Amino acid sequence: MTIDFRPALPALIVALTGVVALVIDAFTPRAGRSRTQSVCLTGLAAALLVTFSLPVRIGCPACSPLTGGSVVSDTWSVALQALVLVVGMLALPLSTAYFRAIDQDRGEQNALIMFAIAGMLGLVSSVELISLFISLEIMSVALYALTGSRRARSDSQEAALKYFVTGAFSSAFFLYGVAWLYGVSGGTTFDRIASTLASPLGGNVGCALLASGFLLVGFGFKIAAVPFHSWAPDAYQGAPTSVTAFMSTAVKVAAFGALTRVFHGALFPLADRWIPLLAALAVLTMIVGNVSALAQRDLKRMLAYSSVAHAGYVMTALVSQPPQAAAAVFIYLVAYSVTNLGAFGVLAVLAKDGKEPLTLADISGMARRRPFLSAAMAVFLVSLTGVPLTAGFIGKLRVFAAAISADHAVLALVGLLMSAVSAYYYLRVVVAMYMEPPQDEDRWANVTGAAGLVIALCALAVLMLGVFPERLFAWAQTAAQTFR
Amino acid sequence: MSYLENNTLSLLILLPVAGALVVALIPRERETLQKTAALLFSGLVFWFALGLIRGFTASPAMQFVERKAWIPAYGVSYHVGVDGLSLWLVALTALLTPLALLASWSSIDARIKEFNVFMLLCEAGLIGVFCALDLLLFYVFWEATLIPMYFLIGIWGHERRIYAAIKFFIFTMTGSVLMLVALLVLYKAGGQSSFDLTSLQRVEIDPALQMWLFAAFALAFAVKVPLFPLHTWLPDAHVEAPTAGSVILAGVLLKMGAYGFLRLAIPLFPHAAARFAPWIGALAVVGIIYGALVCLVQTDLKKLIAYSSIAHMGFVMLGIASFTTIGVVGAVYQMLNHGIATGALFIIAGMLHDRRDTREISEFGGLGGVMPWFSALFLLVGLASIAVPGFGGFVGEILILVGSWPKSPALTIIAVLGIVLAAGYMLWMIERVLHGPVKHASNSCLRDLTAREAFVLVPLVVLTIFMGVASPLFTRKITPTVNILVHKVSMETRSPSGDAR
């Protein structure tokens, strides 16, 4: 049997682009600026084109490709790959702008972003545990390096080390779960696992549940769900801000894409058992994330805890039936990605001469000097709060409606009350920007060029998706056809 | 022209948004142009609102209905219309916004552009709330009013503005997320096909669930009204807000809560509403007495007006909780009266603040001789606020009391006590500000009303007297809708399913 390699093509293109970027940089004079941004953008665009032109399968989230192999191209993988690629394309200009501002524009960060994206693309299209794990590691290793890429700063090093140690730990959990599942089902493909779990398991049900638990722990680290979130604030704070923007969005997209496929595909026969566990984790994540964010003084740390909370919101969607859950997860991920990328992006593009705004005092009165950037930031924060006419509201509406349709109204109640709590810390930033007097001197960069365009696009997307969500709903419906 | 007639409500909602965009595009230095543009757009909205009143026929039917699919996949539509409950509230919003803008013509001196933009956006959101007939649309407008008001308080407010703005936002948002949960549960009970009010009204809901859903909606609305003991955000927000913000807050925003009861909570869950009614009535009366007592000890002019709002809105809620046609009509009418009288009081407090930069009652005294025209209008507005016969407030409060008497004489009697207390705090305040000798030298040469200020105040005073003597012109258009609502509740409480437990 000849294996059809086409579903792996987007990931391969992106990985190759990364290699090309490295080679180009090797031949660029050390003092010069990296020229790889356009190469990388082209590579991502090409991968996006290929993603959409592949033959797409509908239905059956756990089925292996007919032609053999372990990655598929179905509606779910296409939708999430497209999202990852778009987030990557938006994150690259931010990254270039930021690394120029801290005078460390050497280009390898572009290559690392490419490798991370290649891993993410594999993650959302894998239907087999080993390739899933390898994709996860490709993504993670690139991210560890990216986190530590601000070499002159010790907090960046510290963040990378913490992220790496806990990440390695979680990988071990994940792998252990894979081993247990292999023991139960005798295979690593999702269809094999699903069919085994659907048949009477007898004494093996405990082992299967244990395996599911280990996988959930592994994913829990990647999506930063409580109680596996402790690395996130340190890593998000210490990493270069543009990297934080990228990893707080793209990683969540990829990890939730894979989590949805694994739990609603391979492990779906056990749904009655893992749903209560997931619901409990979701409640814990929403509460701890939001309450911890209240106490933060550092902006990046606050946004880090906020993204922990948002992982909790997404998890509430997963307790409902597969097609609806998948659609809600996708909608939330889209809304969250453009919003959070924008929010961290604003902080990143303000960086100048190696310094960047870190506290509320640093951005006080910003609205007078930078009305457009402040307005964009206000839009992002309002969207994170979940106020109507922004994408964030549409996302929350769908995930909580999904939870309620599965008779988990308590989850929705906790989530929405926590949204009201979150208003406090998001609004503090708006207060600082709009209601506090400005600083004496203007210490931050003026935003221009591609990075400014990215922020504008994100803000526009947040508003457009919030006011006219119909198209997003249609995309989500298509994406969720895999789970029909 | 027929296009305009068919889309009057959309016009009323979108015109302020268009105005906000226009103001935003005017260069920052051209401040007068920004103010003029905002005033022009809000004036235009008022003009179309007058057309709305003229075109409205006294029948219970929804009128000026527009319906377009918004998110068809999810059963959400842009469905708007007005009936007797909402007509006058739309008109009130359209009236108070231009007057509030005019009242702050010279007292807002920083970031004028943003101020006008937020005022117009707030107006659009408020009109949207009163017109929406789709629950999700209602929720969207409901929350959309929050952001501009938050900025209005937080940027242009007084000393403790940031605290007040955040408190206002969190209180309201907590209430409204409860409403959102209930709304989604209701959507599920209705078969997940539509958020439309009329189709959701037909959904049969289990009585026990109905109680929970009503409680969630009621909590959201009670925060906004505000019903005692959820009122604590109000004094902060009203006192710290700039004049225009206070006018819109007290004049219109509070009505969103009472209107929410009438439009959503009661028709959707009539059975639960009837069961909760005695409690709501009792809390309303507690609010009446509590608000009035607190007013008696205020030394701050704006705080006094703010607390008097709690008392007045208590009357509105008492009328609603009576579930008699007279009582509910009185409640709707009283909302208008309160909006106009309290709006005018806040404008007056703002004028004093503009002149003396203080809100302390003890800083004034003897203004009657210094500013005769101002004092005359102040007195009239004060009397209107405490429902002296001849003013609109009297009609409203009498209707409410007459309506609530057969349901609970005890509550009605206590509420009447509230009227006496109101006369006490208001007249005493007026005495301390207007009468006696001029105590502070700086008060001896205060300027009387300017033409602009007179243009703001006189229409409100005339209107409140007109509403006192020609009330049938207004209630005629309110009553048919209220009849249907009251009938629905009484049917529900009498039907066997209502006594299931």
Side-chain angles (χ1 to χ4, degrees):
Chain A
M1 189 163 65
T2 52
I3 293 177
D4 182 6
F5 281 100
R6 282 179 301 174
L9 221 50
L12 287 174
I13 292 173
V14 173
L16 268 176
T17 313
V19 173
V20 171
L22 273 187
V23 172
I24 291 178
D25 267 316
F27 289 98
T28 313
R30 209 78 182 112
R33 287 178 156 188
S34 163
R35 303 189 192 289
T36 52
Q37 180 183 296
S38 48
V39 175
C40 291
L41 281 175
T42 316
L44 292 177
L48 194 62
L49 270 178
V50 171
T51 306
F52 280 121
S53 55
L54 290 175
V56 174
R57 194 176 69 192
I58 289 172
C60 196
C63 290
S64 295
L66 290 172
T67 51
S70 47
V71 288
V72 286
S73 172
D74 55 17
T75 57
W76 185 245
S77 75
V78 168
L80 286 174
Q81 287 187 334
L83 183 53
V84 166
L85 289 167
V86 169
V87 169
M89 289 165 88
L90 290 172
L92 268 177
L94 293 179
S95 169
T96 306
Y98 181 81
F99 279 100
R100 273 184 194 161
I102 62 168
D103 203 21
Q104 200 193 313
D105 184 25
R106 294 212 199 83
E108 73 258 25
Q109 71 269 4
N110 285 352
L112 283 169
I113 288 176
M114 289 295 117
F115 296 144
I117 291 178
M120 293 169 185
L121 297 180
L123 200 55
V124 296
S125 55
S126 294
V127 286
E128 194 264 342
L129 285 170
I130 299 297
S131 37
L132 185 75
F133 179 73
I134 291 173
S135 306
L136 193 69
E137 286 303 290
I138 293 175
M139 172 184 88
S140 302
V141 170
L143 286 171
Y144 303 145
L146 273 172
T147 305
S149 61
R150 194 166 179 185
R151 276 177 242 141
R153 292 277 292 266
S154 63
D155 57 350
S156 179
Q157 309 295 309
E158 184 191 330
L161 188 67
K162 278 182 181 163
Y163 192 15
F164 171 65
V165 172
T166 52
F169 198 55
S170 78
S171 294
F173 269 104
F174 192 88
L175 211 49
Y176 200 44
V178 171
W180 276 97
L181 267 185
Y182 179 72
V184 172
S185 62
T188 54
T189 55
F190 287 2
D191 50 359
R192 178 79 177 258
I193 295 167
S195 62
T196 309
L197 297 183
S199 58
L201 282 171
N204 277 344
V205 68
C207 305
L209 283 174
L210 197 65
S212 313
F214 282 128
L215 290 186
L216 193 57
V217 172
F219 278 121
F221 272 103
K222 291 299 162 201
I223 59 174
V226 177
F228 317 113
H229 68 290
S230 53
W231 59 272
D234 292 331
Y236 284 15
Q237 184 185 14
T241 310
S242 63
V243 171
T244 314
F246 173 67
M247 72 178 180
S248 69
T249 51
V251 175
K252 285 221 164 83
V253 171
F256 268 110
L259 176 69
T260 310
R261 190 191 288 279
V262 168
F263 278 81
H264 277 299
L267 301 176
F268 190 64
L270 295 178
D272 291 344
R273 307 291 189 93
W274 55 255
I275 279 179
L277 188 65
L278 202 68
L281 281 186
V283 168
L284 209 61
T285 305
M286 290 187 288
I287 294 177
V288 173
N290 279 308
V291 172
S292 311
L294 282 178
Q296 303 309 317
R297 290 277 164 272
D298 184 284
L299 288 173
K300 278 165 81 178
R301 238 181 138 71
M302 184 272 277
L303 284 175
Y305 275 110
S306 120
S307 66
V308 170
H310 283 273
Y313 301 141
V314 186
M315 285 161 78
T316 58
L318 288 169
V319 302
S320 62
Q321 285 302 303
Q324 199 179 358
V329 166
F330 179 73
I331 287 170
Y332 202 95
L333 288 174
V334 172
Y336 167 78
S337 297
V338 287
T339 311
N340 218 44
L341 193 71
F344 273 116
V346 168
L347 296 184
V349 295
L350 285 169
K352 185 181 177 184
D353 300 336
K355 290 201 177 61
E356 59 192 293
L358 295 175
T359 60
L360 289 175
D362 288 337
I363 55 163
S364 72
M366 196 172 96
R368 314 248 174 127
R369 291 199 180 113
R370 295 184 177 71
F372 293 109
L373 199 63
S374 306
M377 188 65 170
V379 166
F380 299 136
L381 292 163
V382 166
S383 173
L384 286 171
T385 315
V387 174
L389 300 180
T390 61
F393 171 69
I394 298 298
K396 279 192 178 144
L397 180 72
R398 282 302 298 260
V399 297
F400 294 133
I404 283 174
S405 76
D407 289 321
H408 281 275
V410 176
L411 278 183
L413 189 65
V414 172
L416 283 167
L417 282 177
M418 282 299 133
S419 309
V421 169
S422 75
Y424 180 74
Y425 58 82
Y426 291 131
L427 288 184
R428 253 190 340 204
V429 181
V430 179
V431 164
M433 288 191 306
Y434 280 87
M435 302 169 198
E436 305 275 2
Q439 295 166 302
D440 301 335
E441 49 167 348
D442 193 357
R443 287 184 292 160
W444 310 122
N446 282 314
V447 185
T448 48
L453 186 68
V454 166
I455 303 287
L457 281 177
C458 286
L460 198 67
V462 167
L463 292 175
M464 287 300 286
L465 294 175
V467 181
F468 303 109
E470 184 66 19
R471 177 152 312 163
L472 177 60
F473 282 18
W475 292 339
Q477 189 129 29
T478 312
Q481 277 177 349
T482 293
F483 292 88
R484 217 169 35 188
Chain B
M1 205 56 204
S2 76
Y3 178 82
L4 287 187
E5 273 158 23
N6 291 336
N7 297 276
T8 313
L9 292 183
S10 294
L11 198 68
L12 286 174
I13 297 169
L14 290 178
L15 210 54
V17 178
L21 281 178
V22 169
V23 173
L25 291 176
I26 298 174
R28 185 157 290 281
E29 316 81 62
R30 309 283 305 272
E31 292 179 344
T32 315
L33 188 63
Q34 291 159 14
K35 289 193 259 193
T36 318
L39 192 63
L40 212 68
F41 270 95
S42 61
L44 211 56
V45 172
F46 180 61
W47 174 255
F48 281 109
L50 286 181
L52 191 74
I53 296 173
R54 226 176 300 127
F56 188 90
T57 50
S59 81
M62 246 338 141
Q63 297 169 41
F64 296 95
V65 175
E66 289 168 52
R67 189 166 187 171
K68 294 180 193 75
W70 180 25
I71 318 174
Y74 215 51
V76 185
S77 58
Y78 172 82
H79 186 186
V80 291
V82 286
D83 63 3
L85 298 176
S86 45
L87 172 73
W88 294 110
L89 291 170
V90 172
L92 181 70
T93 315
L95 169 71
L96 285 182
T97 306
L99 291 182
L101 283 173
L102 203 56
S104 352
W105 192 263
S106 54
S107 55
I108 298 290
D109 48 9
R111 296 203 255 173
I112 286 163
K113 183 188 209 165
E114 288 93 334
F115 176 79
N116 286 299
V117 167
F118 286 130
M119 281 296 285
L120 288 170
L121 289 180
C122 198
E123 180 179 26
L126 287 166
I127 294 179
V129 165
F130 294 131
C131 295
L133 296 177
D134 179 284
L135 260 69
L136 203 70
L137 188 69
F138 178 89
Y139 184 81
V140 165
F141 281 127
W142 176 274
E143 290 277 276
T145 58
L146 207 53
I147 304 281
M149 189 45 81
Y150 163 75
F151 278 107
L152 284 175
I153 301 173
I155 299 182
W156 294 277
H158 304 294
E159 302 79 36
R160 289 167 66 239
R161 59 182 195 280
I162 291 172
Y163 168 76
I166 291 185
K167 191 170 177 183
F168 164 74
F169 195 100
I170 305 252
F171 261 72
T172 317
M173 175 128 184
T174 309
S176 48
V177 295
L178 291 176
M179 172 163 73
L180 184 59
V181 174
L183 205 153
L184 291 173
V185 172
L186 185 66
Y187 175 66
K188 195 208 166 197
Q192 314 212 12
S193 56
S194 171
F195 278 102
D196 202 72
L197 181 60
T198 38
S199 63
L200 285 177
Q201 274 182 24
R202 286 196 292 270
V203 177
E204 289 285 328
I205 310 162
D206 167 60
L209 181 63
Q210 212 181 102
M211 299 299 262
W212 283 106
L213 295 182
F214 179 83
F217 273 93
L219 217 58
F221 298 143
V223 168
K224 208 69 173 199
V225 171
L227 208 55
F228 182 91
L230 301 170
H231 63 277
T232 62
W233 64 271
L234 181 141
D236 289 307
H238 286 218
V239 172
E240 298 304 326
T243 301
S246 305
V247 171
I248 297 298
L249 262 173
V252 191
L253 233 85
L254 303 187
K255 278 73 194 173
M256 281 166 62
Y259 174 78
F261 274 101
L262 292 171
R263 169 68 68 225
L264 299 185
I266 293 168
L268 283 171
F269 320 108
H271 173 63
R275 300 257 307 200
F276 273 104
W279 296 99
I280 295 175
L283 286 177
V285 170
V286 172
I288 292 174
I289 299 298
Y290 168 85
L293 287 177
V294 177
C295 277
L296 280 171
V297 296
Q298 291 311 313
T299 56
D300 180 311
L301 198 55
K302 270 184 109 173
K303 240 186 187 138
L304 189 146
I305 307 171
Y307 276 106
S308 80
S309 285
I310 298 176
H312 290 305
M313 289 310 285
F315 272 102
V316 172
M317 289 314 295
L318 181 66
I320 290 175
S322 74
F323 289 130
T324 54
T325 304
I326 297 181
V328 177
V329 170
V332 176
Y333 199 54
Q334 186 59 7
M335 284 197 237
L336 306 178
N337 290 310
H338 175 252
I340 292 165
T342 307
L345 277 176
F346 273 121
I347 290 174
I348 284 171
M351 289 172 179
L352 284 177
H353 187 267
D354 288 349
R355 285 170 170 75
R356 280 292 318 279
D357 210 25
T358 178
R359 305 184 304 258
E360 285 297 313
I361 296 173
S362 58
E363 283 288 314
F364 300 102
L367 295 190
V370 187
M371 311 161 69
W373 287 105
F374 171 84
S375 304
L377 290 178
F378 192 173
L379 183 67
L380 285 175
V381 171
L383 295 179
S385 165
I386 57 174
V388 168
F391 294 96
F394 174 73
V395 182
E397 287 189 2
I398 280 293
L399 289 177
I400 290 168
L401 294 173
V402 170
S404 103
W405 176 261
K407 287 292 163 82
S408 68
L411 288 181
T412 314
I413 290 170
I414 305 175
V416 170
L417 202 65
I419 298 188
V420 180
L421 286 174
Y425 65 72
M426 188 57 72
L427 294 176
W428 189 34
M429 184 268 279
I430 287 176
E431 189 214 316
R432 281 180 291 169
V433 174
L434 300 184
H435 298 259
V438 180
K439 276 182 289 184
H440 296 270
S442 45
N443 286 340
S444 57
C445 52
L446 290 184
R447 206 154 52 111
D448 205 344
L449 284 186
T450 63
R452 170 179 64 81
E453 288 170 335
F455 189 79
V456 175
L457 273 184
V458 170
L460 290 175
V461 172
V462 170
L463 187 59
T464 177
I465 295 174
F466 181 69
M467 287 179 70
V469 294
S471 55
L473 281 179
F474 296 84
T475 50
R476 194 164 57 86
K477 294 186 174 176
I478 303 173
T479 315
T481 313
V482 171
N483 267 328
I484 302 285
L485 182 73
V486 169
H487 180 69
K488 186 173 165 114
V489 175
S490 62
M491 285 300 288
E492 192 68 29
T493 45
R494 236 179 280 142
S495 70
S497 71
D499 300 319
R501 70 193 61 232

